[in-house]
Amino acid sequence: MGAAAADFDNDGAVDLFVAGVRRNQLLRNRGDGRFEDVIGQSGIASGEWAVAAGWFDYDNDGRLDLLVVNYVEWSVEANRSCGDEARAVQVFCDPRVFKGLPNRLYRNKGDGTFEDVSAKAGLLSHIGKGMSAAFGDFNHDGRLDVFITNDTVPNFLFMNNGDGTFSEDALLAGVSVSGSGRPISSMGTDAQDYDNDGWPDIHLTALAGETFPLFRNDGHGAFIEETQSSGLGRVTIKLSGWCSIVADMNNDGWKDIFTANSHVNARIGDFQSIAFKQPNSLFLNDGRGHFSDASDAAGFGAAVAAHRGCGVADFDSDGRLDVVVLTLGSPAELWQNKSSTANHWLIVRLVGTKSNRDGIGAVVKIGNQVRTMTTAMGYASSSHAGVHFGLGGSSGAVRVEVNWPSGKRQIVEDAGTNQVLVVTER
């Protein structure tokens, strides 16, 4: 179902966790071009319907822990028939007919094994229908928190208490539901600072008629929904989205939003005037809190498909972020970014020594721009490509500040632009 990439054993090689229905895999990178499934001896369980996962160091001990996002209780034996029996139209059942599941948290013990701390951390008491997770230090206390999208039930915001436990604060923070006051079909998500005020914000996708909500972090423990005021409500109301990535696609210094789109129901056209296969979307950030639909100009308009997961990276090393999108029933799409090359850029790759090797959870700052290093973004997807910054027309050297999960603060003065900068924790 989903994948999460990170170097969980700190050996310098990126490993993979693969989430699945009743069976998960932990693929340890042997460093010789081969992977070994070590799930059996890892202590990470299977048996539930896992859709997504994410690596983060929740206790800041220098070892990456694993959050597994679970969906609903389902089995072949107890499968239900849904659709229009009179018309002999069969469809996948609505998630409302299934019972939800709690998510799982596994603490990395540092010896190749993990401890299930879901109950101890306070996760088991919260039953959801999870689809994806995004990580960020939403209250600037030096600890990573977790936002989890839930399908047709309220979302979760697990705030890290710093003692091994989490408090679920989505309702109080204003991100449990959208402005309608009702839960929606929350799908993919990403948490980055789109308005350059230093605080990580939250974006997510949903189905047609629900919009793609945007929540702005007010810096005081709450989020303000800006879906309508940002212009996203109007341009997403007819779309059904899965993957969401908040990143600077034109290198102008403001993070844009890419979404991979398609309806969930392949037979939706038999019931409503909604297309199952849809093109992807690009919404450009004007720097004043407003997004415009640039999908057609970007070339996405004619490429309709059953899009699902997506990843982002500078595949051709030209400083512009490219996108790969998975589809159902057809080959993956690789979109090469052909936007103007006039703007400058910088990609920061982190190597932790006291922190985890990948630097996951580190907060990187250039001017008024901030990005959190994470490989969890999109929908059941993972992108391990460093931290990218668009710098607009500024060609001069920049000051790079890295706040490591270990608590260390590191400054790189006069870093040149248009390069990949490797920063090793000292």
Side-chain angles (χ1 to χ4, degrees), residues 298 300 315-316 318 320-323 333-339:
F300 297 137
F315 286 97
D316 52 2
D318 66 354
R320 295 171 290 185
L321 290 176
D322 310 296
V323 180
E333 300 171 354
L334 177 58
W335 294 91
Q336 184 183 24
N337 191 334
K338 305 295 287 185
S339 59

Side-chain angles (χ1 to χ4, degrees), residues 10 56-65 107-110 353-356 405-406:
N10 285 338
F56 74 128
D57 185 4
Y58 82 97
D59 51 2
N60 286 352
D61 65 353
R63 300 188 292 264
L64 287 174
D65 311 299
R107 186 182 68 84
N108 191 334
K109 296 167 67 175
T353 54
K354 301 298 182 182
S355 305
N356 61 82
S406 65

Side-chain angles (χ1 to χ4, degrees), residues 11 13 28-35:
D11 66 352
R28 186 181 66 83
N29 191 334
R30 296 168 47 149
D32 59 358
R34 293 179 293 173
F35 289 79

Side-chain angles (χ1 to χ4, degrees), residues 119-143:
K120 187 186 306 182
L123 270 61
L124 287 190
S125 59
H126 299 281
I127 307 299
K129 298 179 181 181
M131 295 296 277
S132 290
F135 302 89
D137 183 3
F138 296 118
N139 57 0
H140 285 191
D141 65 355
R143 300 184 289 265

